[in-house]
Amino acid sequence: MAQARGLLRRIFGHSDFRGLQADVIAEALAGRNALAVLPTGGGKSVCYQIPSLMRPGLGIVVSPLIALMADQVAGLRQAGVAAARLDSNIDLDERADTWRRIGEGKLDLLYISPEGLMQGAMLERLASHPIALIAIDEAHCVSQWGHDFRPEYRMLGRLAEVFPNAPRIAVTATADARTRDDIRSELKLADAREFVASFARPELQLSAERKKGRGRDRVIELVMERPGRSGVIYSGSRNGADEIAQALRDRGVKADAYHAGLDKGVREKRLTRFLEDEGAVIVATIAFGMGVDKPDVRYVIHADPPASIDAYWQEVGRAGRDGAPAEGITLYSASDMAFAARRNAEREVAEEVARVQMRRLRQLYTMFEGATCRAAAVRRYFGETDVQPCGQCDICVDPPRLRDVTQEAQKALSAIHRLNGRVGRGRVVDHLIGKTKDGQSFEASLTTFGIGAGWPANNWRDLVDALLFEGLAAEDPNEGKPLVMLGEADAVRAVYRGERRVFMREAVVESGRTRMDRPRSARAALAEPPEEARGLFEALRAWRRGRAAEQAVPPYVIFPDRTLLEIAVARPRGSAQLMACGGVGQSKLERYGEDVLRIVRAN
Ligand code: ADP
Ligand code: ZN
């Protein structure tokens, strides 16, 4: 392990291992299989990169996306590691060169997609060379429970037979117990030791708000409050992504849309621009994701929410990968949930899968609506115990007081029952407060007509939403004019009997408005240098931009923000002091040391 630590310092410039890295590496060095679940930004890559460098032979890394591989390979080359990738974008000459280096034993790491690995004679060809290790990145893709299921991952089970002597290391940032079981059985990793890190992401400040209207204006406002910072905005639809990006551009923000409806070339160009520009914002559908490894994303905004806590954590986790403060802000509504539920229902999957997906959807919205620390709720969902509140999410900072609205819920449910699935949400509310619509006398004759007259319409609207979130009521999409009906019978019965209580946030109940009306503490979490280091920090960033442009790599491949920040504060006077800064390894010192020291002296 001393040797491993030496490599970590010399090549990657990190002073020591973090979290479970050392344990996973020790396991791989001993030649044993492992399954590691480490949170995004937790440093999964060194877990297989270092043992690949130390064990004789080639390290193979199976990774789902070309963009992700390209980034990693560029980063490794910067650090002086012999790395290459084989994918459809690599031309014949380079392929030949890569195979030659493999033959000569001069390549340390080979990145390849699952399809590429399983193609033709690839496996046989690789099997004729000594293999140090096989890493399977984003291993949760093997599970049909997961949100990124990729059928081609299933074929990776064959690796066990073809490479019986190479340790196989499966890594992922998201896998609940069930997904972990799937990974084990599909990838033939029954004997693998499991390393599950804490899902805590202390740098992330989380919040969730109910949407007002479509929520677009709020998204624009949030972005404008965070000028010059890189952000990812997730939109549920391509149109939505285009619209938001356009609205942002109209206001001078460097924003692009990114979705599957765009040409591959356009997508790639936009992705590159996003990666290379420190202040860029990308407005994307979920077509954008796993490939994105930009460490200085300062916020992720869900203009429309994802479909599970797994997906939420994965997506929010793209902020703050450099460990500096970042934000995850979600806008959600009851109709978003209904829409997602409908999509689940339309998908052709086994009934059990559909049920699991529905439950996951509900768990996500219960978290949004709940009064529990966001971070703690997520960590418990992933099976962590002994979880403390994070102290910085919207719930921790401004705990909502809850009011018991069980009686009102009973009234609303009776009304929904009587109206018998014939009307939508707005009409249920009108019915409760006793507002008639002409020609609808059947409503006025029902005993529930006007039983809610003592409460404002806004409260009823929020309560009906709450009932939908909790599954006590359900919406039938009815081609865009959703009808409300009763939800799960047992749960509804429990509310009627008073055995199950229904709560709403006090702020919502009192004013009929939501938390998002309140002024937010304006502090946007940012990686800001202290006043006296600011000039140097900016100078270093300007220099980095130049070097990055020269080599056509993203700036953070040269040095991440965090490293520049550390340098700006430490003001190193020589190589030894510079090497002491996190992220400065031997190769980078040789390449950039002189430049950086010169800039420090001059600023
Ligand atoms: P992920 O687990 O999300 O794949 P990466 O492997 O990309 O994470 O690492 C995330 C960031 O953490 C990178 O910037 C990497 O340089 C940094 N990192 C990894 N290991 C360490 C460590 N032991 N000490 C400090 N920083 C580290
Ligand atoms: Zn919290």
Side-chain angles (χ1 to χ4, degrees), residues 379-557:
R379 292 170 61 190
R380 285 200 201 97
Y381 170 87
F382 284 119
E384 269 188 70
T385 49
D386 280 337
V387 178
Q388 300 302 315
C390 76
Q392 58 183 1
C393 70
D394 53 346
I395 301 283
C396 284
V397 169
D398 186 9
R401 280 204 310 244
L402 294 181
R403 191 203 275 194
D404 188 328
V405 292
T406 309
Q407 271 190 11
E408 287 81 1
Q410 289 165 344
K411 290 181 185 172
L413 289 170
S414 321
I416 293 168
H417 176 59
R418 295 272 143 70
L419 290 166
N420 202 16
R422 276 179 287 193
V423 301
R425 193 157 138 269
R427 284 272 294 285
V428 171
V429 172
D430 284 350
H431 179 84
L432 281 161
I433 58 177
K435 223 164 98 181
T436 21
K437 290 240 166 73
D438 32 19
Q440 300 298 336
S441 52
F442 92 92
E443 277 186 44
S445 68
L446 300 176
T447 52
T448 44
F449 186 71
I451 52 167
W455 230 31
N458 273 343
N459 282 1
W460 286 115
R461 216 163 284 139
D462 285 328
L463 176 57
V464 174
D465 277 353
L467 298 177
L468 291 167
F469 287 132
E470 293 191 29
L472 292 164
E475 264 182 336
D476 173 342
N478 186 35
E479 319 213 323
K481 290 190 159 269
L483 302 172
V484 181
M485 59 198 114
L486 287 185
E488 293 148 29
D490 287 348
V492 171
R493 211 167 303 130
V495 173
Y496 279 143
R497 292 203 201 107
E499 291 160 10
R500 173 168 169 170
R501 316 299 300 175
V502 178
F503 294 94
M504 268 169 70
R505 292 192 190 159
E506 190 84 32
V508 174
V509 178
E510 273 167 7
S511 64
R513 307 180 89 197
T514 61
R515 288 163 62 81
M516 71 196 227
D517 296 325
R518 289 193 229 162
R520 243 179 86 85
S521 59
R523 185 182 82 85
L526 302 170
E528 289 293 358
E531 189 61 48
E532 63 280 6
R534 199 156 298 162
L536 177 53
F537 179 62
E538 289 308 328
L540 288 166
R541 272 162 63 113
W543 161 81
R544 179 181 66 176
R545 262 195 300 278
R547 298 302 308 253
E550 251 166 58
Q551 302 174 60
V553 293
Y556 55 79
V557 169

Side-chain angles (χ1 to χ4, degrees), residues 6-18:
L7 284 178
L8 181 75
R9 289 198 188 123
R10 199 156 37 92
I11 296 180
F12 300 95
H14 303 312
S15 54
D16 206 347
F17 289 117
R18 270 198 319 219

Side-chain angles (χ1 to χ4, degrees), residues 41 91 194-195 245 340 402 499 576:
D91 63 35
E194 209 165 283
F195 300 87
L402 294 181
E499 291 160 10

Side-chain angles (χ1 to χ4, degrees), residues 45 48-49 63 65-79 83-85 87 111 271-272 274-276 289-296 321 552-558 588:
S45 9
Y48 51 79
Q49 287 164 348
S63 176
L65 282 177
I66 292 178
L68 192 67
M69 293 193 254
D71 228 37
Q72 290 235 3
V73 169
L76 285 167
R77 286 184 179 162
Q78 284 280 330
R85 63 193 165 98
D87 59 55
Y111 283 75
L271 182 58
T272 309
F274 173 67
L275 294 177
E276 291 181 358
M290 273 190 304
V292 184
D293 215 353
K294 190 179 202 276
D296 58 357
R321 298 184 57 124
V553 293
Y556 55 79
V557 169
I558 313 254
K588 296 214 175 160

Side-chain angles (χ1 to χ4, degrees), residues 203-221:
E203 67 281 9
L204 287 184
Q205 192 189 325
L206 305 169
S207 61
E209 310 174 352
R210 276 200 196 182
K211 274 183 203 177
K212 284 203 287 196
R214 290 195 310 159
R216 295 279 153 77
D217 296 343
R218 178 63 177 150
V219 173
I220 310 291
E221 182 179 289

Side-chain angles (χ1 to χ4, degrees), residues 215 218-224 226 231-235 244 248 281-284 297-305 315-316 319 327-331:
R218 178 63 177 150
V219 173
I220 310 291
E221 182 179 289
L222 289 166
V223 174
M224 299 312 286
R226 290 158 180 77
V232 176
I233 298 166
Y234 280 102
S235 158
I244 294 172
L248 288 172
V281 172
I282 200 148
V283 192
V297 172
R298 295 270 69 88
Y299 59 86
V300 167
I301 298 174
H302 279 101
D304 302 305
E315 288 166 10
V316 164
E327 296 172 282
I329 306 165
T330 308
L331 307 184

